[in-house]
Amino acid sequence: MKICALIFVCAVCVIAAPALHAQANEQSRAMNQPVHPFHIIGNIYYVGASDVTSYLIVTPSGDILLDGGFAETAPQIEADVRTLGFKLADVKYLLNSHAHLDHAGGIAELRNVTQAQFVAMEGDVSALESGKSFPAVNPDRIIHDGDTVSLGGVTMTAHLTAGHTRGCTTWTVTTEDSGKLYHVVFVGSASVLPTYRLIDRPNSPATYPGIEADYERTFRVLKSLPCDVFLAAHGSFYGLTEKREAMAKDPAQNPFIDPAGYQAYVVRAEAAFQTELHHERGE
Ligand SMILES: [Zn+2]
């Protein structure tokens, strides 16, 4: 995928922001098309839209739901969970990749419906609670880098990968499929939005103090994570549509097992960040 596509997909986070709690605009509607839910691997299911993702992680003691899409994605996610034969009342934890309207917009509604505990990284709490660009939602538990959420023998680990937002979180989990163990990485986002400023200057302040160092640390973290199964907050980051179609054609293959695709994504995202940094430095 080209770098411009990375920028395009997350540009909606900013472009659509002034439309307070409104329906997704034309650009974001394209990312929010209904998709038939499906089994990805092990205990992980896809319940998201065409590009804004949502994942159901199933355990013997209840389920974990990662990301809520736009506000109007929530009913779609609810229908997808039911279509797969799971119960919304079994969702015990709601997790979030980051506090932008295309990933956190549906959390308030999903929390209402499931009565699940909403778990969020400290850096994103004020954005989640403010309700500025999506329905406000107060976390039930505030976490920090390295904290875990455990349920029914499944442990999800939260890695702070800040920059895209202050509390942007990459979740990891190990899953078993056909007797094999796989490291799964759910990338938050490492995109630099067109409106972001990375360098702090008197007449052009950084998007937030320390954003440049946060991104640099994020790329170190992403490179350090073992990854067999590559998933992310946007389907376009990892070729969701292509992989879904490939799996439907040949169920014997699982294209979501893609360690090389993960490494390539990290390289691409870091290159885009470096390009932006050079641009700001006037190089
Ligand atoms: Zn975003």
Side-chain angles (χ1 to χ4, degrees):
M1 184 186 47
K2 292 191 181 79
I3 288 158
C4 60
L6 277 176
I7 293 165
F8 168 79
V9 290
C10 236
V12 68
C13 300
V14 161
I15 290 162
L20 192 70
H21 304 184
Q23 290 288 302
N25 64 18
E26 197 176 319
Q27 185 186 23
S28 50
R29 266 198 296 273
M31 302 155 71
N32 200 33
Q33 295 305 303
V35 166
H36 200 73
F38 65 96
H39 176 231
I40 299 174
I41 193 166
N43 60 336
I44 302 167
Y45 295 81
Y46 191 79
V47 292
S50 51
D51 185 62
V52 293
T53 61
S54 185
Y55 306 95
L56 188 71
I57 298 98
V58 173
T59 94
S61 308
D63 308 328
I64 300 166
L65 187 59
L66 169 57
D67 273 350
F70 291 96
E72 61 266 52
T73 318
Q76 208 169 293
I77 294 168
E78 292 161 22
D80 287 350
V81 169
R82 288 194 210 98
T83 299
L84 289 169
F86 299 110
K87 293 191 187 90
L88 288 160
D90 287 342
V91 176
K92 303 299 177 203
Y93 290 106
L94 282 170
L95 312 181
N96 183 218
S97 62
H98 62 283
H100 278 164
L101 84 167
D102 47 345
H103 312 284
I107 299 272
E109 145 96 8
L110 289 163
R111 187 160 163 275
N112 246 343
V113 168
T114 60
Q115 298 292 305
Q117 286 231 335
F118 176 43
V119 178
M121 192 67 85
E122 186 179 35
D124 273 359
V125 168
S126 66
L128 292 162
E129 290 180 342
S130 76
K132 259 188 203 155
S133 59
F134 54 84
V137 56
N138 297 337
D140 300 288
R141 181 185 161 202
I142 295 168
I143 54 165
H144 304 90
D145 185 36
D147 282 350
T148 58
V149 170
S150 292
L151 186 69
V154 172
T155 296
M156 305 266 306
T157 303
H159 306 268
L160 176 65
T161 49
H164 186 74
T165 63
R166 290 177 201 232
C168 187
T169 307
T170 292
W171 288 93
T172 59
V173 74
T174 301
T175 197
E176 192 186 329
D177 193 282
S178 307
K180 271 185 163 177
L181 287 176
Y182 296 93
H183 295 289
V184 184
V185 178
F186 302 90
V187 174
S189 178
S191 307
V192 179
L193 298 188
T195 54
Y196 283 12
R197 297 297 295 176
L198 301 170
I199 301 171
D200 205 30
R201 293 200 169 107
N203 54 356
S204 172
T207 301
Y208 70 82
I211 186 171
E212 182 189 345
D214 273 359
Y215 269 107
E216 277 162 3
R217 183 186 167 279
T218 284
F219 293 114
R220 288 198 297 277
V221 170
L222 291 176
K223 284 176 200 168
S224 76
L225 297 176
C227 177
D228 303 308
V229 176
F230 173 30
L231 301 171
H234 285 281
S236 55
F237 291 177
Y238 63 93
L240 166 67
T241 305
E242 298 79 2
K243 286 175 176 171
R244 180 166 48 87
E245 286 169 4
M247 197 155 80
K249 268 190 203 142
D250 182 3
Q253 303 295 319
N254 194 328
F256 294 96
I257 303 168
D258 186 15
Y262 174 71
Q263 299 300 336
Y265 162 79
V266 177
V267 167
R268 237 173 17 237
E270 186 171 28
F273 163 77
Q274 289 295 345
T275 300
E276 192 53 42
L277 205 52
H278 290 309
H279 179 75
E280 280 192 34
R281 285 187 185 132
E283 289 164 3

